[in-house]
Amino acid sequence: MRRLMLGNQAVARGCYEAGVKVATAYPGTPSTEITEFISQYSEIYCEWAPNEKVALEVAIGAAIYGKRAICSMKHVGLNVAADPLFTVSYTGVNGGLLIAVADDPGMHSSQNEQDTRNIAKAAKVPVLEPADSQECVDFVKKGFEISEKYDTPVILRLTTRVSHSQSVVEEDSRVEIDYGYKKDIQKYVMMPAMARKRHEIVEKRLNDLKEFAEKTELNRIEEGESNLAFITAGIAYQYVKEAYPDAWVLKLGMVYPLPERLVKDFCSKFEKVYIVEELDPFLEENIKAMGIRNAVGKEIFKMTGEYSPTFIKSAIEKTQVEPPYKLNEELAPRLPVLCPGCPHRGIFYVLSKIKDIIITGDIGCYTLGALSPFNAMDTCICMGASVGMAHGISKASDKKAKVVAVIGDSTFVHSGITGLIDAVYNKSDMLLLILDNSTTGMTGHQDHPATGYTIRGEETFKLDLVSLCKTIGCSVVEEINPYNINENIKKISTLIDKPGVKVLIVKAPCRLHRRYKYVLSKRYIDKNKCKNCKLCLSLGCPAISLKEVPTIDQNLCLACGMCESICRFGAISSVKE
Amino acid sequence: MKENLNILIVGVGGQGNILLSKILGEVFLNVGYDVKISEVHGMAQRGGSVVTYVKAGTKVFSPLIDKAEADYIIAFEKLEALRWIEYLKKEGILIYSDYEIPPMSVITGVYKYPDVDKIVKKLGVKFYKVDIPSLLTKVGSPRVQNTIMLGVFSRLIGIEESYFRKAIENNVKPEFVEINLKAFAIGRNVDLGEVKI
Ligand code: SF4
Ligand code: SF4
């Protein structure tokens, strides 16, 4: 059947058809839906892991056991998983192992723009790069074949516009795969004596893969009618085809290792060959290193952000498109905001009211606390970094700085725990706020070990953050309710000055999560009582905006009551005026 | 269709942008076109500015729509209609909702919410304005602006109504199909009059 599918959905479909048995991931935009869609296939065991390193280790186990396994993550997740990656490259696999990594050119929802192909090359792992949803299905299957034939993990590199675009897919049926388990310590126990031998095998494997790259139909030449010529891959291929339908194109489906003879042959036919790739000049550098002189790449194409057909055209022809309708004024920007009713709002409001504190932040919805109207965050580096950074600041300031770290529950489980152990062990003075909304909010409500549910919603043992922090040795561990604004201002102000590592678990489930039911009693503003002091606007709730006096949009209000508790004139209540 | 049909759906995160693009995509697929849709996830969904691209034709390569390439812009929010106006072709049509959601930069008083109607007229864009607030009261649900807009749009391209109704049934949760079909019908029956400039 022909269906429209999201690239990520097509990767999941490919896994189903390829007989994948185990799928693991930590959610991360733009890769999240791969695992979500896989969870709809009962034939595949699947899970959310606490972080990408663990996820990859689980998948490696399954592959060595003889089944096909996939592990999915976003580009920054691959940094976390780099440790097992570099070694599974040595051990090889048994059943196929595919690592789907989604890069985010343009940083739609990421803290940096990194190019997975560089890590893949460093780890000596082949990379396939699909250009649409049908290729996502096909390349998953091909990836497993390559993985098994060449005894290597394979990286499936996606980018936002492949992961999050829908295009047509033809569905097929599933095949079951089982290679059986065989103990082999020479292959799977990477102590020096064995690893040295495996490294030789890895180098030979790369050579074999280079040969494979010459013949595989993954790499193909599309003949053109003009004398324009391109080498490209992934989504950039689509942009090239749209901009220049008549050009010659060497379309690479396998972007590492490269087919040297094919590339040289292609380039020798033209005066000039454009290499079009988003992010780093990965193809370009590798191709130029083959001694090719007529390749043009980053001299004219940018290193940052996303490409588009118009961008490619204007870079080559040095022309500029003039849109017919041009605005002369600067429009009000619309940055993302914490949702109406969001429990994080309460704590950031509180933090914005406390003077002279340094707030280290982390990755999740609550990163938005850095923006106006709260401006209550000083840093955001990577998953779990808030805890270690707060400890570092505390030490660097000889404990004079008042440091507060904020981290979400999911992020804390991902990699905040180890930072907290370090802070306690090394006698830090800091306050950690675990903003526990009982889900992974930003990526769309995925479960994790502290929610007590699996990816398929089955109940499981629930990691108790309070007892965990106590066990680690934190001097104070308490739960507080973010909606009690006035109480929390006092509590946090006093706690900051106490010595030791203190943890407040700021607990209230995400208001948008279906599992957690709130009693809704929406708030109204009584015009007669309102003194127009505008204090309620400083909450940054999207439901409250200024008409003549502040007014609450009943379509948006999620009845959290925070505005009611900060209005000093009793103008806000759940009674309609 | 000789060339691709390019449709930009713009609005604020949470307004049902992605659902509308799915429904439209399925309509075009069933009519027999190649289709590509590109959507935005993650941070942008949290009340930020959101755009979805829908492209249909005999063969579609890039899922993106560049500046000056959109045949239609469907805007769920007035300010967002302006934000993406440079993407419209000279002869393209803007269909925008009269719904206002002030962004935080306006709520906090740093920026002013612009007079969208005036600017649209001044630019000389071809447009239809849909009085969504009053239509929503007619349907009796605040959440179906996207299917009302679909109803309006369905009148402008020569595809039979049944394709749209079927795609709604396939993409909306069973308990919401009825209300969405009602919203679609109301949108389809809005008296648009002549396209305005
Ligand atoms: S805080 Fe109360 S009095 Fe002040 S503007 Fe808001 S509703 Fe009016
Ligand atoms: S308007 Fe008040 S009660 Fe409603 S969501 Fe916003 S802060 Fe909460």
Side-chain angles (χ1 to χ4, degrees):
Chain A
M1 200 178 109
R2 275 171 85 238
R3 281 181 59 191
L4 270 176
M5 269 191 204
L6 206 61
N8 284 346
Q9 186 180 4
V11 172
R13 180 73 206 177
C15 289
Y16 167 77
E17 292 176 9
V20 165
K21 186 69 196 159
V22 169
T24 67
Y26 180 82
T29 314
S31 70
T32 314
E33 300 80 7
I34 297 173
T35 317
E36 286 185 326
F37 280 110
I38 287 178
S39 77
Q40 294 171 7
Y41 298 111
S42 58
E43 291 85 349
I44 306 177
Y45 166 80
C46 77
E47 64 170 34
W48 293 126
N51 65 39
E52 297 82 1
K53 177 173 164 352
V54 174
L56 181 52
E57 289 154 355
V58 171
I60 292 170
I64 286 177
Y65 187 70
K67 299 290 173 82
R68 287 184 168 177
I70 184 167
C71 174
S72 314
M73 60 196 68
K74 67 184 295 183
H75 58 300
V76 287
L78 189 61
N79 302 336
V80 180
D83 209 1
L85 172 70
F86 276 67
T87 302
V88 70
S89 170
Y90 275 36
T91 64
V93 298
N94 176 16
L97 173 61
L98 199 64
I99 306 164
V101 188
D103 286 359
D104 187 16
M107 290 178 279
H108 294 280
S109 51
S110 307
Q111 62 270 44
N112 68 34
E113 257 181 334
Q114 84 188 36
D115 194 322
T116 287
R117 296 173 298 175
N118 294 313
I119 299 190
K121 186 183 179 193
K124 301 173 191 286
V125 171
V127 184
L128 307 187
E129 187 169 350
D132 61 18
S133 297
Q134 182 64 56
E135 284 195 350
C136 284
V137 177
D138 298 342
F139 285 22
V140 164
K141 294 181 182 173
K142 199 76 200 168
F144 280 113
E145 284 167 27
I146 294 170
S147 173
E148 286 154 7
K149 175 144 188 253
Y150 292 90
D151 195 17
T152 176
V154 171
I155 288 180
L156 183 77
R157 186 211 186 204
L158 304 155
T159 54
T160 301
R161 294 291 174 193
V162 172
S163 281
H164 284 169
S165 292
Q166 299 182 45
S167 56
V168 187
V169 164
E170 191 77 53
E171 291 181 338
D172 204 345
S173 52
R174 177 175 166 95
V175 285
E176 293 294 341
I177 305 277
D178 188 355
Y179 292 93
Y181 175 68
K182 259 201 322 293
K183 181 174 168 132
D184 185 349
I185 64 165
Q186 296 292 331
K187 188 166 183 293
Y188 297 124
V189 181
M190 284 304 93
M191 49 205 255
M194 288 116 173
R196 271 181 217 118
K197 286 186 210 140
R198 291 300 305 180
H199 190 185
E200 302 286 339
I201 294 172
V202 169
E203 297 304 332
K204 176 172 180 304
R205 179 180 79 202
L206 264 184
N207 278 327
D208 294 346
L209 281 162
K210 277 183 195 155
E211 272 312 305
F212 168 78
E214 303 282 357
K215 324 178 287 259
T216 171
E217 73 277 12
L218 288 167
N219 301 324
R220 64 164 189 263
I221 292 173
E222 293 180 2
E223 294 185 11
E225 275 150 24
S226 65
N227 53 5
L228 265 175
F230 293 89
I231 299 178
T232 184
I235 196 67
Y237 160 80
Q238 308 287 9
Y239 301 155
V240 166
K241 289 293 279 189
E242 181 151 317
Y244 297 106
D246 294 336
W248 285 74
V249 178
L250 169 52
K251 188 216 183 259
L252 298 171
M254 183 153 162
V255 292
Y256 184 74
L258 289 176
E260 188 162 340
R261 289 197 301 278
L262 184 66
V263 169
K264 280 183 168 163
D265 214 44
F266 183 77
C267 291
S268 70
K269 291 199 180 81
F270 305 95
E271 200 186 314
K272 207 192 264 178
V273 175
Y274 294 102
I275 300 179
V276 187
E277 56 190 322
E278 289 177 328
L279 301 179
D280 291 344
F282 181 84
L283 300 175
E284 182 183 343
E285 280 173 1
N286 282 286
I287 286 170
K288 285 183 172 163
M290 294 170 187
I292 287 167
R293 298 269 162 267
N294 60 340
V296 180
K298 297 292 176 185
E299 303 96 302
I300 62 166
F301 303 118
K302 60 184 180 176
M303 293 273 289
T304 57
E306 283 189 291
Y307 285 10
S308 72
T310 313
F311 164 72
I312 293 167
K313 252 192 145 127
S314 57
I316 291 176
E317 295 165 23
K318 304 199 166 43
T319 52
Q320 203 98 80
V321 202
E322 267 306 313
Y325 305 111
K326 261 194 109 56
L327 279 182
N328 296 320
E329 61 185 293
E330 196 197 338
L331 287 182
R334 190 187 298 276
L335 293 170
V337 282
L338 295 173
C339 308
C342 175
H344 300 326
R345 172 167 291 110
I347 213 67
F348 284 112
Y349 181 79
V350 167
L351 291 174
S352 71
K353 296 292 168 213
I354 302 175
K355 296 240 152 41
D356 300 322
I357 50 174
I358 300 175
I359 304 162
T360 56
D362 223 296
I363 310 279
C365 289
Y366 49 91
T367 313
L368 299 171
L371 301 178
S372 153
F374 307 114
N375 307 310
M377 194 177 289
D378 295 52
T379 67
C380 172
I381 301 282
C382 67
M383 295 284 289
S386 63
V387 191
M389 289 177 69
H391 170 51
I393 291 170
S394 155
K395 289 292 175 186
S397 70
D398 295 323
K399 302 186 172 185
K400 284 192 285 289
K402 296 182 179 183
V403 214
V404 181
V406 294
I407 192 168
D409 46 337
S410 187
T411 312
F412 179 69
V413 175
H414 178 283
S415 49
I417 293 173
T418 40
L420 188 60
I421 293 172
D422 182 50
V424 172
Y425 172 64
N426 288 304
K427 304 181 180 177
S428 206
D429 292 293
M430 58 176 276
L431 172 63
L432 172 64
L433 302 176
I434 302 179
L435 310 185
D436 181 359
N437 64 358
S438 304
T439 187
T440 316
M442 184 57 103
T443 43
H445 296 154
Q446 290 77 20
D447 280 299
H448 59 74
T451 67
Y453 294 89
T454 68
I455 188 171
R456 290 189 174 122
E458 299 145 349
E459 281 191 56
T460 181
F461 179 80
K462 184 172 185 291
L463 174 66
D464 178 358
L465 297 181
V466 175
S467 21
L468 175 77
C469 295
K470 283 188 182 154
T471 307
I472 289 172
C474 300
S475 61
V476 176
V477 184
E478 271 177 57
E479 262 186 25
I480 60 169
N481 178 349
Y483 295 115
N484 297 339
I485 290 182
N486 301 318
E487 228 170 84
N488 291 344
I489 293 184
K490 282 186 224 118
K491 170 149 234 146
I492 291 177
S493 307
T494 34
L495 209 53
I496 284 175
D497 294 322
K498 289 208 176 138
V501 177
K502 301 132 301 187
V503 179
L504 290 178
I505 299 178
V506 188
K507 195 169 173 82
C510 173
R511 278 236 100 65
L512 300 183
H513 198 301
R514 285 158 175 269
R515 184 181 295 141
Y516 309 104
K517 296 263 178 295
Y518 284 93
V519 186
L520 285 192
S521 83
K522 301 199 178 208
R523 300 310 199 270
Y524 302 85
I525 295 179
D526 184 341
K527 271 196 209 135
N528 301 320
K529 291 191 191 153
C530 174
K531 298 274 186 288
N532 210 359
C533 71
K534 302 194 177 68
L535 187 64
C536 53
L537 292 177
S538 69
L539 258 185
C541 174
I544 314 177
S545 62
L546 192 62
K547 299 284 154 55
E548 306 129 54
V549 292
T551 309
I552 294 174
D553 181 339
Q554 296 303 313
N555 285 335
L556 295 177
C557 173
L558 277 176
C560 69
M562 264 186 262
C563 52
E564 178 174 348
S565 68
I566 68 161
C567 175
R568 297 192 184 119
F569 303 99
I572 307 181
S573 69
S574 42
V575 188
K576 201 167 178 178
E577 54 179 288
Chain B
M1 254 187 310
K2 265 218 320 282
E3 272 187 66
N4 286 346
L5 184 64
N6 295 343
I7 303 161
L8 215 63
I9 305 168
V10 306
V12 175
Q15 283 191 304
N17 220 310
I18 289 178
L19 179 67
L20 180 57
S21 66
K22 273 195 184 141
I23 295 175
L24 263 183
E26 194 171 308
V27 168
F28 291 123
L29 183 75
N30 290 341
V31 172
Y33 293 120
D34 186 20
V35 180
K36 278 192 180 155
I37 302 172
S38 189
E39 38 188 77
V40 181
H41 286 233
M43 297 206 87
Q45 275 185 310
R46 299 283 177 262
S49 166
V50 165
V51 59
T52 314
Y53 311 92
V54 180
K55 296 176 80 168
T58 19
K59 175 77 195 156
V60 182
F61 287 107
S62 159
L64 295 184
I65 296 170
D66 267 314
K67 283 190 180 165
E69 281 188 356
D71 298 282
Y72 295 95
I73 294 181
I74 304 175
F76 292 172
E77 204 276 345
K78 271 166 105 171
L79 175 55
E80 295 310 308
L82 275 194
R83 196 184 306 284
W84 297 94
I85 202 75
E86 296 188 356
Y87 285 73
L88 201 61
K89 274 184 187 162
K90 181 91 194 108
E91 53 299 347
I93 295 177
L94 167 70
I95 307 154
Y96 73 99
S97 156
D98 201 9
Y99 201 68
E100 270 185 39
I101 304 176
M104 206 40 68
S105 58
V106 169
I107 293 178
T108 52
V110 184
Y111 283 83
K112 262 184 47 204
Y113 196 97
D115 186 339
V116 177
D117 297 338
K118 215 169 102 192
I119 300 173
V120 165
K121 286 220 177 81
K122 210 173 91 199
L123 286 172
V125 174
K126 293 192 192 62
F127 73 93
Y128 291 107
K129 185 164 113 180
V130 188
D131 180 7
I132 283 292
S134 81
L135 294 176
L136 282 176
T137 349
K138 235 168 140 185
V139 189
S141 160
R143 299 197 165 267
V144 290
Q145 143 148 246
N146 50 0
T147 19
I148 299 182
M149 293 296 275
L150 179 70
V152 174
F153 177 72
S154 73
R155 283 258 298 278
L156 305 178
I157 47 170
I159 295 176
E160 216 185 285
E161 190 179 342
S162 60
Y163 282 100
F164 291 94
R165 302 182 71 89
K166 190 141 180 282
I168 292 174
E169 281 164 19
N170 288 345
N171 285 284
V172 171
K173 291 210 184 75
E175 63 265 39
F176 300 122
V177 166
E178 200 183 319
I179 187 98
N180 276 286
L181 285 177
K182 185 175 165 198
F184 174 77
I186 286 181
R188 196 167 163 95
N189 291 321
V190 168
D191 182 18
L192 289 173
E194 288 291 297
V195 69
K196 302 180 189 66
I197 299 182

